[in-house]
Amino acid sequence: MANGRHIVTTRTPTPADLPAAQTAFRALVDRGLKLDLTRGKPAADQLDLSNDLLGFPGRATFSDAAGTDLRNYGGPAGLPELRALFAPFLQVPADRLLALGNSSLTVMHDTVVHALLSEIPGAKRRWVEEQADTGIAFLCPVPGYDRHFSICERFGIDMIPVPMTPDGPDMDVVERLAASEPRIKGIWCVPKYSNPDGAVYSDATVRRLAEMPTAAPDFRIFWDNAYAVHHLTEEEVEIADILAECEAAGHADRAFVFGSTSKVTFASAGVAFFGSSRANVEWLQSKLAKSTIGPDKVNQLRHVIFLRDGDGLRALMARHRALLAPKFEAVDRILTERLGASGEGPGEWTNPKGGYFISLRVPEGCAARVVALAKEAGIALTPAGATHPYGQDPEDRTIRLAPTFATLADVEAAVDGVATCVQLAAAEKAV
């Protein structure tokens, strides 16, 4: 024991290690833990940072800069001041950025629905008509975000896995597939601090996505910039401007950009954004007009008052970083102590510069076993396979760790327990 932590070998376990690993696991189960690393939610102390959103202290008017009463109907594009505030962070011109409801996932879901039911710019017909003839498909970088996959699965859109690299999806594979089949209509992308690897798309990757030939004239990049301002270090990592690159390549309508304040202010009462070419924005607005007369502009005004400007947003995110960085540092430290430097022992993991997740790769065929062992020990993990389409990781290796919601002490206890489970699963595999 060292500092209350059971230190084990940092090499890959062998059959001879199985008895010690079993003993360590029984001791873990006997602790009766009840810990949860399943979802990347903000913790209560992060939410407390935005409690001033709940009031309008000293506010005498509820109008925007143009004098529009925000308590009334109208303003389908959202509050201009909020759009201007977030435009540089999302890399979308303010006049082509919509501020909508509280969930970017809803906007992504509904954008897929509208594309199925209404011709998007450049399309020859509705996606649902093509789906009836040949089926339609999306490219899905893996490991990736399970809720993206759920949207495709719900609407019967085939998912084609594409390997991820530290610079984004494997572009040789993406280019080959996108150019080969007109039924491939899009690709899901989390370009900065990707879920769950924390990868940042290189400038070359962004440029290739914008320039590549596609068999479908209405191919779309679903650019989910969920972690645009969610840095875990003092470095504000930047990515290339996808809209500008698409315009320069002659594919101005190719990218849909999404973002939100869900992990900036209140997860349940934030603001979602959509940005794209003028043609795409007008297309989506024409569809949204059938379901709403305007978004919650009062909530958007709260955000403008609270955040003030870009510097105010940066200051708030620095306070988030102060709460989150120690949790991510603890995961890396404990996994290094228990499993060795990444790649040297029975596990590899990411050490991201931002975002909300860490990707742990265990020996092939062991991820589901590790998750099951953790459950037996009272530690809830995201199901093995959640990072892949249809919940099927063909290598059974990837486990997504979400250290944000738990307290630092609980993160330390949970990750230490996960390491014990990895050691046992690896030892069992070696037998």
Side-chain angles (χ1 to χ4, degrees):
M1 299 290 288
N3 298 322
R5 187 173 294 113
H6 183 73
I7 305 297
V8 296
T9 177
T10 58
R11 58 179 170 76
T12 300
T14 67
D17 297 308
L18 183 58
Q22 291 172 328
T23 298
F25 178 72
R26 285 194 295 269
L28 175 66
V29 172
D30 289 344
R31 292 174 61 186
L33 299 176
K34 190 176 182 180
L35 304 170
D36 191 333
L37 295 182
T38 56
R39 301 303 313 185
K41 298 190 296 185
D45 54 2
Q46 290 178 261
L47 300 175
D48 288 342
L49 298 175
S50 298
N51 282 344
D52 285 348
L53 274 173
L54 297 174
F56 286 96
R59 187 75 180 179
T61 179
F62 296 92
S63 299
D64 64 14
T68 303
D69 190 335
L70 302 176
R71 299 169 299 177
N72 216 327
Y73 290 122
L79 185 60
E81 291 88 342
L82 188 65
R83 291 155 57 202
L85 196 163
F86 275 89
F89 296 97
L90 293 173
Q91 299 174 306
V92 179
D95 64 347
R96 287 159 41 195
L97 184 66
L98 305 180
L100 301 170
N102 77 302
S103 168
S104 58
L105 182 63
T106 297
V107 181
M108 287 183 276
H109 172 280
D110 291 354
T111 301
V112 171
V113 171
H114 292 311
L116 284 166
L117 300 180
S118 308
E119 291 181 13
I120 63 176
K124 295 179 179 179
R125 53 180 178 163
R126 300 180 303 159
W127 284 3
V128 71
E129 295 174 77
E130 296 192 42
Q131 189 175 37
D133 286 348
T134 61
I136 60 174
F138 266 47
L139 303 179
C140 298
V142 295
Y145 182 29
D146 53 340
R147 296 192 187 276
H148 289 163
F149 307 150
S150 295
I151 291 173
C152 285
E153 194 164 6
R154 182 189 176 199
F155 296 111
I157 298 172
D158 295 334
M159 291 180 276
I160 303 174
V162 174
M164 275 289 287
T165 78
D167 293 324
D170 185 325
M171 285 307 300
D172 291 341
V173 176
V174 171
E175 288 169 338
R176 174 175 56 80
L177 290 171
S180 67
E181 294 189 54
R183 76 186 192 97
I184 298 177
K185 295 297 185 182
I187 182 172
W188 291 109
C189 294
V190 182
K192 186 188 290 190
Y193 310 138
S194 67
N195 177 354
D197 275 0
V200 177
Y201 285 26
S202 68
D203 291 355
T205 294
V206 177
R207 191 171 303 113
R208 290 174 72 176
L209 283 165
E211 294 176 349
M212 66 183 184
T214 62
D218 50 350
F219 182 91
R220 289 296 187 271
I221 301 169
F222 280 65
W223 197 253
D224 183 5
N225 202 355
Y227 307 107
V229 295
H230 300 72
H231 313 293
L232 289 169
T233 72
E234 293 187 1
E235 178 187 3
E236 293 190 2
V237 173
E238 294 297 339
I239 55 175
D241 184 334
I242 185 64
L243 293 183
E245 293 290 347
C246 287
E247 290 173 11
H251 302 137
D253 296 334
R254 176 167 290 181
F256 292 149
V257 177
F258 305 91
S260 80
T261 69
S262 293
K263 294 180 175 69
V264 174
T265 54
F266 291 153
S268 68
V271 180
F273 298 94
F274 172 90
S276 191
S277 66
R278 197 168 303 281
N280 282 338
V281 170
E282 290 174 356
W283 167 80
L284 183 62
Q285 281 193 286
S286 71
K287 311 311 166 196
L288 294 176
K290 306 301 188 295
S291 62
T292 179
I293 304 176
D296 184 347
K297 299 181 297 299
V298 173
N299 186 41
Q300 295 181 11
L301 176 61
R302 278 196 291 260
H303 279 74
V304 170
I305 295 169
F306 175 64
L307 295 171
R308 299 185 309 281
D309 52 27
D311 288 340
L313 175 57
R314 287 189 178 92
L316 174 61
M317 297 314 295
R319 296 170 70 191
H320 278 277
R321 182 176 73 241
L323 296 171
L324 289 178
K327 298 179 182 181
F328 281 79
E329 291 165 359
V331 174
D332 185 65
R333 170 176 52 82
I334 294 169
L335 290 179
T336 300
E337 291 174 355
R338 295 295 312 279
L339 304 180
S342 187
E344 294 181 3
E348 303 172 3
W349 58 93
T350 55
N351 188 15
K353 291 185 176 181
Y356 260 58
F357 301 99
I358 291 169
S359 183
L360 171 64
R361 284 170 60 82
V362 298
E364 186 171 352
C366 288
R369 178 59 174 158
V370 170
V371 172
L373 289 169
K375 181 179 180 180
E376 186 178 345
I379 303 168
L381 298 176
T382 303
T387 55
H388 288 64
Y390 310 107
Q392 298 174 2
D393 175 2
E395 294 184 325
D396 189 25
R397 291 196 63 186
T398 303
I399 298 171
R400 186 182 69 190
L401 301 179
T404 59
F405 185 68
T407 65
L408 178 58
D410 283 352
V411 167
E412 292 175 332
V415 174
D416 187 55
V418 168
T420 296
C421 296
V422 172
Q423 289 283 357
L424 176 54
E428 290 174 340
K429 183 74 172 178
V431 172

